[in-house]
Amino acid sequence: MSAALRGVWGVVPPQKAGMIPGWGSGLVVDELSVFLLVTLAVVLVAVLAYAWADGYGVRFHALMLLFAAAMAVTVTASDLLLLLMGWEVMGAMSYALIGYVWSDPERVRSADVAFLTTRAADMGLYAAAGFAVAGAHSLKLDDLATANAPWRDLIAAGVVVAALGKSAQLPFSFWLSRAMAGPSPVSALLHSAAMVVAGAYLLLRLRPLLDATGWAATTVSWAGALTALLLGAVALAQRDLKQLLAASTCAQIGFMVLAAGAGAVDGGTAHLIAHAAVKSLLFLCAGVWLTRRGTHRVVDVAFGIGAVALAGVPPLSLWVTKDEVLAGVGSSALLAVGFAASVLSAAYAGKALLRLFQAAERVPVPLAQRIPLAGLAVAGAGLGVLGLPGILGEAGPVAWESALAGAFAVLTVGVVVAVRRVPEPAWALRWFWLERAALAGVVRPGFAVARALARFDDRVVDGAVEGVARGGRWTAGLARRRVELRVDGLVGAVGRAARGLAALARRPQTGQVHLYFAQAAVVLAVLVLVAVLAG
Amino acid sequence: MNENPADLAPELCVLIAAVLGLVNGLFLPRTRQWRVAVICAAGLVAGLAVAGVAATRPDLMAFDAFEIDPVTHVTRIVVFGSTLLVVILAAGQVRDHPRESEHYTLILLSALGTVALGATSDLLVLVAAYLLASIPAYALAGFGKDAPGTEAALKYYLMGALLGVVMLGGVTLLFGVGRGTAYPMLREGFADASPAVVAVGVVALLAGPLFKAGAVPGHFWVPDVTEGAPPAVAAFVTTVPKIGAFAALYRFGAETSPGGWAVLVAVIAAVTMTLGNLAAFGQDNVRRLLAYSTVSQAGYLLVPVAMAGRTDLAEPAVLYYLAAYAVTNVGAFAVVLAAGRDDLAGYTGLLRRSPLLGLSLVVCLLGLVGTPPTAVFVGKVLMFGAALDGGHAWLAVVAAVNTVASVFYYLRWIIPLFGRRTGRPAPRPARGASTVAVVAAVLSVLLGVGSGIALTAS
Amino acid sequence: MLTLVIFLPLAVALALPGVPRRAVPWTWLGVSVVELALVAAMWAAHGTGGGTSFETDARWIPSVRAGYHVGVDGLSLPLLALTAVLFATCAVYSLRNTHRVRAFAMLFLFLETVCLGLFAALDLLLFFVFFDLSIVGMYFVILLWGHEDRARSALKFFLYTFLGSLVLLLGFIGLYLGADPHTFDMVELTRTPPFAGSPGLAGLTLLAVGAGLAIKTPVVPFHTWLPPAHTDAPAAGSAVLAGVMLKMGTYGLVRIAMPLLPDAWRRYALVMLVVGLVSVLYGAFVALAQDNVKRLVAYTSVNHMGYIVLALGAAGYAAGDTDARRLAVTGAVTQMVSHGLVTGALFLLCGVLHDRAGSYDIGRFGGVARRAPVFAGLVAVAAFASLGLPGLSGFIAEFQIFAGTIGTGTAATAVTGALAVAGILVTAALFLRVLHLVVLGQPGELTPRVTDVRRPELAALVPLLALSLLIGVAPRVLLDTIEPLSAAVVALVGR
């Protein structure tokens, strides 16, 4: 981080009070969060201006603003509690916004999938908070790396799971595909620029923790690199533009996660910011095409710039930032994977560019939408400066590597645009059947367990209670018969002996008295036995 | 030896009232015989007052056989108090009956026998008291001269006769063992007697009080008499003689402590409460239901009796539970009398028709369950405490399970109260009985809330 | 003051037969609001300090050393406030009731006295009196104002919880007998815990007390009275039953079982952990399979109360970190309040649905948001509050429970705590299922019958959810009051 920037922004001390007594928590604006806050604010303004022109209502704006607040809390939180609060609210807002058109059951289902998948991963963060209390006696993010031996690893595991889930890394990527059911402005903010990068942000922020454990850094690096590669392939195979963009988001965040794992924090941050501008630009352009069923020159140009930037064509932003990330990667295997992923990103960006060649009707696009597009295009093109030495990072990318990567990017885009056909294998088109696997492996068994337990509850647990009640009533029936009408053989035998006494009874009903006598005699005899034994 | 008749002043008050009532009844025209009821009630009130005063004096022994101690004080007060309520109940029932005055007199005499039963510490007096308490009750049971009443009286008599004879046998046996009939002598005699003989003697002796208490094995008469005898008599025989019987049982257990007493009585208690509860389950006749409920209550009452001498809680538990039970049970019977119906269906919508009467029934029935803050609740707490402290936790568990089971049939009676009555309108509830019911219900709650005062006083 | 607060509703209930019929609902509402104000005043006076305020100790049954001993502290105050809020809410909600209004109001005022008294009681016998009366009162609420198979459900409720109460009574008598000198006074018993030298008897007593409270809470496997009771109870009855009465069980654990039997509690802390964990997961999974929305909410209560038992179990691990155990206890108490507010709201919402369509079957609704947008919004907020969305009270409670339980730092607590976290995922799934099937999507068979919430319903629901939001955003109001109490409880358990 450059000294100049640090001087400008400084650090806001955390609030003393905190949410929970005894566990201080607060918001901190530091070198990392300030960039994210600015990014969030800029993209939010652009997206809201765009959405305003599309005529979205109060509910949309309320949810978007709530989301932005949650994101702001997430990136400025200094402890796990506030982080988790922002983190979970983001997830809920994502649910509400994906299911914005709630009357469509399929969209609601997509929202369900997205929320449940991210929440499944979030459990890691809940557990990590507990482990942090146990191991570090603190919830502060800065203290996590100092936790004792087993707890530190557990914290890291929880955090990594949550981060991978939120950032739609493998194996959680499928929810982002589902998230595309939401309106385009939602995709432009939540599912490209803000919410999905929260996982990468968290990993970048907790770099010391990853380092302290050792294994976590490696795991994270590989998860990021593999996602960048495999989801790159998925993106390349997509036929739907939004799906392509979604998969490419996963892949690009893979680079950021790789950066977090490899220790290239500055590169990762720069990539995150530049990618946010580029991707929200692309989503907004896609939104214009989808909702207006036509195009406009500004949109075409903006999309073109965005796609080329996404491809990593020099001198646009992502070329610089991605190379800065790769420059920080130490392991040659990781570097190879990263490089391959980088080539793939150029390929899918090329495929996205093809969209510009389709014939489309010219439609008017309001100024309120054109301005944000233009602004984002400029930002997406120029944010490469972040990667230059002295701005965000001290060390720039290696010159020859950058040149090579740029050349490959240009070449790949050229090939794709020229050939116009790319392989679309089913495994890639269907996102490796990840959702189906989750459905078969987790959801269906879960429901089966639920139904089985519900039956068990009704039949066995409640059945036992009912059985006791029934047993009680049955015994009662028995007791009544015994007492009032009949006696069993033994008592009957004694009863016959006592029948003489019954002669005293005039009325036929009193025939029972001899039985009473007999029973009384038997009981007394038994009582004598009891008394003798007890005495 | 103390032979001061003034020590028996409460009993004398009641006796004088009974004699006066009988004599007056001979000369009064049939329509004026209610005056006898007033005389009897006055005698009971006087007895209560004198007993209350006597309770403040130190313990003593009169005539070598009549102990005047807290047990006797409570027995007197509860017996006279509940007899007073029963007399009021009966007054409404036997009004202008040819033998109205005899009815009251018999009730009073039986009550006297009951007090003697609870106060004596001598086996021979015990037998005499047993007879005094029983014989008027037999006559009362058949008072209606109708078929069920006669049958009930006969059964009552036959059971009483058999168990009385057994009891006499037991007394003889124990006399042989202890070379005396006073409890202190028996206590010494038991120490070096053959356990088997003592066991037979004790069990045989128990037959009599258990019959009066309506506990197994002397419980057979309870449902028949309760259903067959006039309701006021049913209220009397299921309430008053029990008080004396339990006092007598407790006194015998505490003062002679024969071997195996706790286990023996605990078994009887467990069997009695279980049998009473189970048999009450399917009853559609409320009087039979109440009869079995009194059997099960007898079971609970036997729990502290079993713990006699083993824990300090036993005595307050017996005495408090007796008082609570007496008030609540009379209240429930009073509602039956007031409503004039024996079938459960007859109680549909009672709460709407006469809210106070219905509410009294709810309070009395929930009281019998042992719901706070009624008196029986405090009694049950003490009873459970006695069982646990006496080292018979299993008995406490049995009692708890039985209490839960009993909820079932009490609720069966409560639920219709809230219903909507269909069909012809029922007769208006009797005034006197309604008043008794309300008084009993209020007393039951007051006795529970003010249990501190009551327990300290005893 | 406290005695006035406790018995004012009962006094008004007794005076209610003399009130004209039209004025009955407003009288009821008026008393509830006064109660609310009084409890708030007590809270303000107590502040955030430790110790007991407004203590009254009168002799009741001196021969067994039982007294009318009441007082409030950091544990009672939140629950007293919850009680006052929920009963006021029910009064508002029932403004439009027409069926036996007077009796309904009387019974609810009686129940309010009972609940307030229970949470203020500092004497075992007094506690039990209120505990038992709550069963009787609720029995009549279900029996007289319930629907469908109400007599059976009410009977099951009565018998089952009454059994629990008697077991509890045996436990209390055990505590009484175990103390030297014998006493029912909780404060004295806390000072010198009974059964100092006999762990076996202490264990048995804990078994009795624990089982009695477990039935009321309820925890698996003693929970089967809950679903039918809720299903057939009227909405206001369910709200009170779930919102206030279930807390009696867990309140008893914190107030009685933990401080009075610290050794036994520590020894059997693992049992509590496991029972809590099983309740959490079992409750959530069974709820997931329900099609009757009221049964579903009832089972989520099992789940939510399971978290409390889990946290209290963790607090028994004396070897663990003290601060973490305090966090767990604070979380448990917070969860009691939060569950009361949120589940109360959910049951009232179920009541709205049943009032309009006469059914609880989630399969027969759909797309209700179109016909009843406000209702849909309230359902969504309540559902998210219940599934633990941050910003609402459930999250604060559950976060503290997880952090505290796992943070205690022993192997058992860490494993059970981490497994219990899975509960929040299942809860999320089941509430999304409800939202999906009832509120969102295409209209179902019964949807046309659903109209939006009416004014009294709205006035009842909004405060509940607003309070949940307040606790979720600014929890210190509540937590600062609870914190001294949890410190005290943890210290008592640890001795």
Side-chain angles (χ1 to χ4, degrees), chain A residues 17-19 81 85 88-89 92 95 102-103 112 115 119 123 126 130-131 134 137 151 450 456-458 461-462 466, chain C residues 152 156 223-224 282 285 289 295 299 321 323 370 387-390 395 399 406-407 409 422 424 436 441-442 475-476:
Chain A
M19 296 290 281
L81 172 61
M85 289 184 75
E88 287 267 86
V89 173
Y95 165 82
W102 49 262
S103 53
D112 293 348
F115 184 68
R119 191 156 223 226
M123 294 193 304
Y126 279 94
F131 298 137
H137 200 79
W151 303 113
F456 173 80
D457 196 61
D458 281 344
V461 182
D462 197 32
E466 299 277 331
Chain C
R152 190 183 154 80
K156 188 170 184 177
H223 63 282
T224 51
Y282 186 92
F285 270 112
R295 271 180 83 86
Y299 277 108
D321 183 73
D323 288 337
R370 174 94 56 215
L387 67 79
L389 184 73
F395 170 79
F399 179 85
I406 301 174
I424 64 165
H436 191 153
Q442 290 298 311
R476 293 298 288 264

Side-chain angles (χ1 to χ4, degrees), chain B residues 45-349:
Chain B
V45 171
L48 269 175
V50 180
V53 173
T56 58
R57 300 213 187 104
D59 295 356
L60 52 88
M61 171 82 103
F63 301 100
D64 262 356
F66 204 91
E67 284 204 57
I68 299 180
D69 60 358
V71 179
T72 308
H73 296 320
V74 174
T75 312
R76 278 171 172 169
I77 293 172
V78 176
V79 167
F80 293 159
S82 39
T83 309
L84 184 64
L85 291 178
V86 171
V87 166
I88 299 172
L89 283 182
Q93 280 248 303
V94 293
R95 187 81 191 259
D96 299 344
H97 190 277
R99 300 182 190 283
E100 189 178 349
S101 55
E102 284 93 325
H103 194 267
Y104 303 130
T105 312
L106 287 173
I107 289 180
L108 255 59
L109 290 176
S110 180
L112 269 181
T114 303
V115 173
L117 201 60
T120 183
S121 61
D122 190 292
L123 290 179
L124 288 178
V125 183
L126 189 74
V127 172
Y130 171 82
L131 292 174
L132 178 55
S134 301
I135 292 169
Y138 302 147
L140 281 171
F143 209 78
K145 281 199 178 173
D146 50 356
T150 314
E151 185 193 334
L154 194 63
K155 281 182 182 166
Y156 194 17
Y157 166 68
L158 288 174
M159 281 307 291
L162 172 73
L163 293 174
V165 169
V166 175
M167 177 188 177
L168 264 177
V171 169
T172 318
L173 207 57
L174 291 182
F175 176 62
V177 171
R179 292 177 199 85
T181 52
Y183 290 175
M185 294 176 79
L186 287 175
R187 188 190 184 92
E188 288 164 23
F190 287 166
D192 41 35
S194 147
V197 179
V198 174
V200 173
V202 167
V203 169
L205 174 73
L206 283 184
L210 287 177
F211 163 75
K212 293 266 79 174
V216 169
H219 68 285
F220 296 101
W221 59 273
V222 180
D224 293 337
V225 173
T226 314
E227 195 184 4
V233 174
F236 181 78
V237 296
T238 57
T239 310
V240 177
K242 282 190 183 206
I243 303 166
F246 283 110
L249 284 168
Y250 173 76
R251 194 184 287 285
F252 183 78
E255 292 183 12
T256 67
S257 51
W261 171 262
V263 175
L264 174 69
V265 181
V267 168
I268 300 175
V271 173
T272 304
M273 64 178 86
T274 312
L275 198 77
N277 271 327
L278 290 178
F281 262 41
Q283 298 298 345
D284 289 323
N285 180 314
V286 293
R287 281 211 258 161
R288 265 191 113 71
L289 192 152
L290 268 183
Y292 282 114
S293 126
T294 67
V295 173
S296 71
Q297 299 288 341
Y300 305 135
L301 268 162
L302 281 173
V303 172
V305 169
M307 298 304 133
R310 298 171 73 95
T311 156
D312 295 340
L313 283 173
E315 184 170 311
V318 174
L319 299 180
Y320 196 85
Y321 204 120
L322 268 177
Y325 162 76
V327 169
T328 317
N329 201 45
V330 169
F333 271 104
V335 176
V336 176
L337 244 88
R341 291 292 294 263
D342 280 356
D343 53 330
L344 279 178
Y347 288 82
T348 311

